[in-house]
């Protein structure tokens, strides 16, 4: 029997035991939806990952009262901080009561932790102490407010959560402490603050510091960093913190230097209340609303499940989720502070399969994980992490083309780049000599054909045909674009004074510009293409391209009419698109070349695009100067006013759009109401 199957069997047996011992309310269906994330970090529906199997409502005849925290030790004993009853309840793995701790000593226990030696640490916010008990519940030590001057004379000490590392050092979340987590030695000595958050500096604060007097700044609210609200520790001794409301950085994983190792985009909920690090290293977090999130060790979301209570008091729904823990059978326990219970969730077969594949993957057994990942994909083909694991397995077997395909599905640009580099390197080794040979042959053949034509005139008909095509009026106007490569001033003179291009040619080039824009969206290399094709809307892309251009043309013309500009509207209309010559000529080449580049060559792609943008900006500057016959200073002023005018016109158009949208909604609702009334009559 496989390891995954063993875990599933154990989980089912444990679930049955809980059901028999605790007599919970069980439902055949799951009252919530389960999601995972794709490579765009958006929620994707998946099959149930965990199912509610029971709840613990009371011990004996005493119901829980505002339980705030819980912990599962290595022996799967469950420790519950029963805050309202001023006690710590310890349960056996089967659910039977083992002992009650601190009933006559604790005042308001809000956090509980058990170290590897079985010592039980309780954060008591009521007495402002941390209690240490032995495994039998005997009081060993109390940790009070540090008397070190480094702690701070006015620094508050109100322990709400606690954890302990392998050396016996305590990490305490103290309510109101903005310097970070309080770190104490096993003897109660203050070791410093750990894992502090950064204060947020915005434009308003910077302006206040620049222009306000010292007295005015003293009256402002201090820009203090948010305080951590919970914490946990993994088997390696790394500390994790939760900070409620910290945008983009609610969950952090600190190394010994205090550096955050997790990505800053784990912000799926602004009010995480607790987290727990399972033996596998997976991170389980729960939000106050009752949404449980399971992340892998690198911070990628595996599953999200649970929901706020809809008034039906069903298992799996929460009023105020306050704590979370996971046992060795991967069962999840969540404390609901308002419903005064602990809800229990068992992993499904799909989840155990994911965990099994992920365990092999994390240990570096990529090839062995291929089979389990394939099983995961059979159940859910949209599970991106499975595609990434499968791609790594192919890569290790040097099946680079298959790996490349899987990396594309998983959205893994780095993995794709590595696979493509191997494919490109192999191709160059096999064909580089052939490429050089073809280039030499083509060059020699070209020289021979030119020599043959010079002596015999063999290609006279072809040259006449070419001359005929290039002399067609519209073709001459379109190819006039190449004049702007070497002689841009002469080109603008030709547009303004010699009328060398027509409005039709300009319209064709504008359409070509949009076609090249779409071409770049679809055919830029995967490594450099961040487009989500599912969100692509043609109308939006048309607006993105043509609205700024239209605002520029109209605003520049209007500004020039009141600032002695000589250019007419048609001049600005035609000269603008010819100023975008670098994009029109060179952008398709860069797009095609991007498909032959890797991440190591990214500077070539970015540099080429920067050159195009800068070149277009220079030509637009020259266009304003030459079309309107301004000085350099006058050109700069004209461009700045033009940009300001574009902003004003954009705001006006937005206001008009909002008003028209409201009028449409009003008219539509009136017509709908009239239709309903007519139907009833």
């Amino acid at each position: 029997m496989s390891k995954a199957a063993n875990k599933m069997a154990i989980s089912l047996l444990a679930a049955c035991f809980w059901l028999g011992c605790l007599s919970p309310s069980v439902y055949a269906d799951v009252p919530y939806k389960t999601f995972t994330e794709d490579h765009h970090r958006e929620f994707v529906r998946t099959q149930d990952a965990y199912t509610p199997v029971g709840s613990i409502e009371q011990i004996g005849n005493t119901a829980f009262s505002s339980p705030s925290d819980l912990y599962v030790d290595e022996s799967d004993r469950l420790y519950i901080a029963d805050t309202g009853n001023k006690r710590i309840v310890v349960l056996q793995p089967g659910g039977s009561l083992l002992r009650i701790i601190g009933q006559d000593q604790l005042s308001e226990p809000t956090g509980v932790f058990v170290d590897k030696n079985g010592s039980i640490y309780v954060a008591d916010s009521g007495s402002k102490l941390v209690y240490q008990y032995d495994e039998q519940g005997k009081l060993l030590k109390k940790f009070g407010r540090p008397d070190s001057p480094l702690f701070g004379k006015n620094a508050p000490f109100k322990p709400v959560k606690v954890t302990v590392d392998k050396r016996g050092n305590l990490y305490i979340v103290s309510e109101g402490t903005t310097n970070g987590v309080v770190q104490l030695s096993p003897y109660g000595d203050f070791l410093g603050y750990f894992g502090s958050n950064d204060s947020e500096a915005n434009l308003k604060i910077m302006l206040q510091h620049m222009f306000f007097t010292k007295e005015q700044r003293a009256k402002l609210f201090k820009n203090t960093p948010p305080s951590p609200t919970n914490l946990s520790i993994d088997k390696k001794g790394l500390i994790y913190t939760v900070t409620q409301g910290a945008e983009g950085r609610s969950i952090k994983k600190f190394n010994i230097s205090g550096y955050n190792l997790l990505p800053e985009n784990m912000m799926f909920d602004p009010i995480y209340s607790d987290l727990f690090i399972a033996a596998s290293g997976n991170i389980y977090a729960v939000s106050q609303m009752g949404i449980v999130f399971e992340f892998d060790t690198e911070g990628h979301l595996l599953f999200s499940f649970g929901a706020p209570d809809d008034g039906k008091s069903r298992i799996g729904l929460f009023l105020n989720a306050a704590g979370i823990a996971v046992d060795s059978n991967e069962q999840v326990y969540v404390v609901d502070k308002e419903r005064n219970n602990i809800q229990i969730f068992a992993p499904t077969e799909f989840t155990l399969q994911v965990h099994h594949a992920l365990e092999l993957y994390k240990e570096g057994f990529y090839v062995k994980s291929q089979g389990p990942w394939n099983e995961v994909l059979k159940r859910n083909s949209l599970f991106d992490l499975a595609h990434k694991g499968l791609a790594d397995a192919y890569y290790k077997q040097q099946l680079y083309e298959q790996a490349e395909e899987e990396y594309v599905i998983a959205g893994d640009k780095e993995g794709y780049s590595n696979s493509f580099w191997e494919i490109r390197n192999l191709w160059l080794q096999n064909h580089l000599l052939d490429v050089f040979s073809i280039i030499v042959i083509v060059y020699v053949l070209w020289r021979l054909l030119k020599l043959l034509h010079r002596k015999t005139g063999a290609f006279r008909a072809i040259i006449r045909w070419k001359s005929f095509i290039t002399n067609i009026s519209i073709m001459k106007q379109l190819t006039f674009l190449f004049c702007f490569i070497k002689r841009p001033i002469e080109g603008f003179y030709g547009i303004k004074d010699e009328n060398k291009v027509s409005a039709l040619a300009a319209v064709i080039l504008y359409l070509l510009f949009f076609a090249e824009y779409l071409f770049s969206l679809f055919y830029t290399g995967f490594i450099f293409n961040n487009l989500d094709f599912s969100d692509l809307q043609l109308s939006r892309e048309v607006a993105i391209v043509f609205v700024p251009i239209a605002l520029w043309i109209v605003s520049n013309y209007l500004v020039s009419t009141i600032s002695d500009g000589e250019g007419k509207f048609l001049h600005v209309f035609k000269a603008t698109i010819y100023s975008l010559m670098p994009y029109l000529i060179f952008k398709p080449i860069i797009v095609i070349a991007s498909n032959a580049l890797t991440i190591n060559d990214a500077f070539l792609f970015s540099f080429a695009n920067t050159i195009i943008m800068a070149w277009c900006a220079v030509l637009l500057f020259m266009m304003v100067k030459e079309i309107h016959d301004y000085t350099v200073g006058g050109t700069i002023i004209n461009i700045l006013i033009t940009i300001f005018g574009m902003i004003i016109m954009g705001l006006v158009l937005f206001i008009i759009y909002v008003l028209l949208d409201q009028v449409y909604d009003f008219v539509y609702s009136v017509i709908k109401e009239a239709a309903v009334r007519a139907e009833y009559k």
Side-chain angles (χ1 to χ4, degrees):
M1 185 179 291
S2 67
K3 189 174 182 179
N6 281 327
K7 284 192 173 183
M8 184 62 187
I10 294 172
S11 297
L12 290 174
L13 288 174
C16 292
F17 199 88
W18 281 109
L19 294 173
C21 294
L22 305 176
S23 300
S25 301
V26 182
Y27 297 85
D29 58 327
V30 174
Y32 50 75
K33 297 178 181 179
T34 301
F35 298 90
T36 184
E37 67 167 337
D38 62 12
H39 53 275
H40 297 292
R41 295 199 65 81
E42 295 182 357
F43 283 124
V44 177
R45 182 75 188 275
T46 185
Q47 53 264 79
D48 296 332
Y50 292 86
T51 56
V53 295
S55 68
I56 312 173
E57 307 288 342
Q58 62 185 35
I59 298 300
N61 296 323
T62 305
F64 290 116
S65 176
S66 299
S68 299
D69 197 16
L70 77 165
Y71 188 84
V72 175
D73 66 9
E74 295 179 353
S75 301
D76 286 344
R77 287 188 289 260
L78 188 63
Y79 300 77
I80 304 165
D82 191 5
T83 307
N85 291 322
K86 303 178 182 181
R87 62 181 184 172
I88 301 297
V89 177
V90 185
L91 302 180
Q92 294 279 23
S96 59
L97 177 65
L98 179 61
R99 64 178 59 90
I100 293 176
I101 296 174
Q103 195 161 17
D104 299 324
Q105 297 165 332
L106 300 175
S107 173
E108 191 179 352
T110 53
V112 60
F113 178 83
V114 182
D115 68 11
K116 60 180 181 179
N117 299 317
S119 292
I120 304 163
Y121 294 81
V122 181
D124 193 318
S125 60
S127 62
K128 299 182 180 180
L129 296 171
V130 173
Y131 293 86
Q132 180 185 359
Y133 297 92
D134 66 9
E135 192 172 0
Q136 302 302 318
K138 179 182 178 182
L139 180 63
L140 299 178
K141 193 178 298 184
K142 298 179 183 179
F143 298 87
R145 188 181 189 279
D147 54 8
S148 170
L150 297 177
F151 181 74
K153 183 178 180 181
N154 298 318
F157 186 75
K158 188 177 181 180
V160 290
K161 304 294 177 183
V162 62
T163 192
V164 182
D165 64 18
K166 295 178 181 179
R167 296 170 295 177
N169 295 324
L170 283 74
Y171 296 83
I172 303 167
V173 172
S174 175
E175 185 178 318
T177 300
T178 60
N179 294 321
V181 176
V182 179
Q183 187 178 4
L184 302 181
S185 74
Y187 308 102
D189 300 322
F190 178 64
L191 301 178
Y193 292 102
F194 185 85
S196 61
N197 294 310
D198 299 324
S199 58
E200 297 182 3
N202 52 40
L203 180 60
K204 179 182 177 181
I205 294 173
M206 290 189 288
L207 291 175
Q208 288 173 344
H209 279 273
M210 287 175 61
F211 298 108
F212 281 23
T213 64
K214 185 176 181 180
E215 291 75 15
Q216 289 174 323
R217 292 197 299 268
K219 295 178 182 179
L220 298 173
F221 288 105
K222 292 184 178 180
N223 183 27
T224 56
S227 174
T229 52
N230 217 319
L231 78 169
S232 187
I233 190 170
D234 64 14
K235 61 182 180 181
K236 296 180 181 178
L238 299 179
I239 300 296
Y240 299 68
T241 64
V242 171
T243 304
Q244 286 192 357
E247 185 67 32
R249 48 185 180 170
S250 294
I251 299 177
K252 291 183 177 181
K253 172 184 177 181
F254 295 99
N255 60 13
I256 56 175
S257 301
Y259 179 76
N260 181 27
L261 302 176
L262 291 176
E264 293 189 354
N265 54 358
M266 294 174 64
M267 188 67 179
F268 291 102
D269 195 297
I271 314 180
Y272 291 116
S273 56
D274 191 17
L275 78 165
F276 188 88
I277 314 304
S280 62
N282 288 353
I283 305 166
Y284 291 80
V286 64
S287 73
Q288 193 169 313
M289 294 178 62
I291 312 297
V292 178
F293 301 88
E294 181 186 359
F295 303 91
D296 68 6
T297 54
E298 297 178 356
H300 302 121
L301 181 67
L302 297 178
F303 302 110
S304 166
F305 65 95
D309 198 331
D310 56 3
K312 298 179 181 179
S313 299
R314 298 182 64 183
I315 302 299
L317 306 179
F318 299 90
L319 289 175
N320 184 1
I324 188 170
V326 183
D327 65 17
S328 61
N329 298 318
E330 302 179 10
Q331 289 195 134
V332 178
Y333 303 83
V334 182
V335 170
D336 192 324
K337 194 172 183 178
E338 292 294 325
R339 291 179 62 178
N340 296 314
N341 66 7
I342 291 88
Q343 300 189 30
I344 309 162
F345 300 84
T348 62
E349 184 181 355
F350 174 71
T351 301
L352 293 175
Q353 191 70 53
V354 171
H355 288 175
H356 175 54
L358 191 60
E359 185 178 353
L360 293 172
Y361 176 80
K362 287 188 298 183
E363 292 176 358
F365 300 122
Y366 299 118
V367 178
K368 287 185 178 180
S369 70
Q370 182 175 342
W373 284 132
N374 277 319
E375 290 299 319
V376 171
L377 289 175
K378 286 179 182 179
R379 293 176 169 87
N380 186 351
S381 61
L382 299 178
F383 204 80
D384 278 358
L385 187 61
H387 286 291
K388 185 181 185 307
L390 199 58
D392 287 336
Y394 285 137
Y395 185 85
K396 287 295 181 181
Q397 298 174 76
Q398 299 183 0
L399 301 173
Y400 301 120
E401 292 185 359
Q402 292 95 318
E404 188 180 59
E405 293 176 1
E406 293 295 333
Y407 281 129
V408 169
I409 298 173
D412 186 346
K413 296 181 184 296
E414 184 177 356
Y416 173 89
S417 176
N418 293 334
S419 297
F420 178 73
W421 188 92
E422 296 288 352
I423 295 171
R424 187 182 67 177
N425 188 46
L426 183 62
W427 188 90
L428 289 174
Q429 289 177 9
N430 295 331
H431 299 94
L432 189 59
L433 184 60
D434 296 337
V435 171
F436 278 116
S437 300
I438 292 172
I439 292 173
V440 171
I441 291 171
V442 170
Y443 176 75
V444 172
L445 184 61
W446 173 254
R447 299 293 295 180
L448 289 174
L449 291 175
K450 287 185 69 175
L451 180 63
L452 177 64
H453 175 69
R454 248 191 337 259
K455 291 189 180 241
T456 66
F459 304 105
R460 192 176 294 112
I462 296 175
I463 292 176
R464 279 200 305 267
W465 178 252
K466 175 188 173 185
S467 178
F468 171 77
I469 295 295
T470 55
N471 283 320
I472 297 174
S473 176
I474 192 67
M475 290 300 298
K476 288 178 68 175
Q477 295 173 32
L478 294 175
T479 55
F480 186 68
L481 191 71
F482 293 94
C483 173
F484 289 82
I485 296 179
K486 292 184 178 180
R487 303 183 302 277
I489 295 177
E490 182 180 328
F492 291 123
Y493 179 80
I495 291 175
K496 177 185 176 184
D497 297 311
E498 297 178 341
N499 200 27
K500 285 191 174 182
V501 298
S502 64
L504 176 61
V507 169
I508 293 173
L509 290 179
Y510 278 116
L511 294 176
L512 178 63
F513 182 88
F514 181 67
E516 290 187 8
Y517 171 76
L518 292 180
F519 179 76
S520 68
L521 289 181
F522 282 97
Y523 295 103
T524 297
F526 171 72
I527 294 172
F528 311 102
N529 196 337
N530 296 317
L531 175 67
D532 183 1
F533 292 100
S534 62
D535 291 336
L536 187 65
Q537 297 178 8
L538 184 60
S539 59
R540 183 176 61 189
E541 302 306 324
V542 169
I544 289 173
V545 172
F546 289 115
V547 169
I549 292 176
L551 291 176
W552 162 266
I553 294 171
V554 174
S555 179
N556 185 260
Y557 169 70
L558 293 176
V559 170
S560 67
T561 59
I562 61 174
S563 57
D564 300 325
E566 296 181 0
K568 298 179 180 179
F569 179 83
L570 201 57
H571 294 154
V572 178
F573 175 76
K574 292 186 289 186
T576 295
I577 189 60
Y578 279 86
S579 299
L580 301 177
M581 173 275 303
Y583 188 97
L584 290 167
I585 294 178
F586 298 106
K587 184 62 176 181
I589 299 173
I590 295 174
V591 169
I592 294 171
S594 69
N595 291 276
L597 301 177
T598 66
I599 288 179
N600 295 329
D601 312 316
F603 75 97
L604 295 174
F605 180 77
S606 59
F607 179 73
N609 280 297
T610 302
I611 291 295
I612 285 180
M613 297 297 292
W615 197 349
C616 288
V618 170
L619 288 179
L620 282 170
F621 182 88
M622 296 176 67
M623 182 272 287
V624 175
K625 182 178 180 300
E626 297 301 323
I627 293 296
H628 299 300
D629 196 22
Y630 287 139
T631 62
V632 172
T635 303
I636 294 174
I637 293 173
N638 179 276
I639 291 175
L640 292 177
I641 298 175
T642 297
I643 294 172
F644 179 75
M646 291 172 64
I647 295 172
I648 297 300
M649 285 192 295
L651 290 174
V652 171
L653 290 174
F654 177 74
I655 292 171
I656 293 174
Y657 168 78
V658 171
L659 291 175
L660 290 177
D661 185 62
Q662 291 180 346
V663 170
Y664 171 81
D665 288 341
F666 173 74
V667 173
Y668 177 78
S669 60
V670 169
I671 294 174
K672 190 175 181 180
E673 179 68 19
V676 171
R677 290 177 179 270
E679 183 179 351
Y680 277 105
K681 287 181 179 180

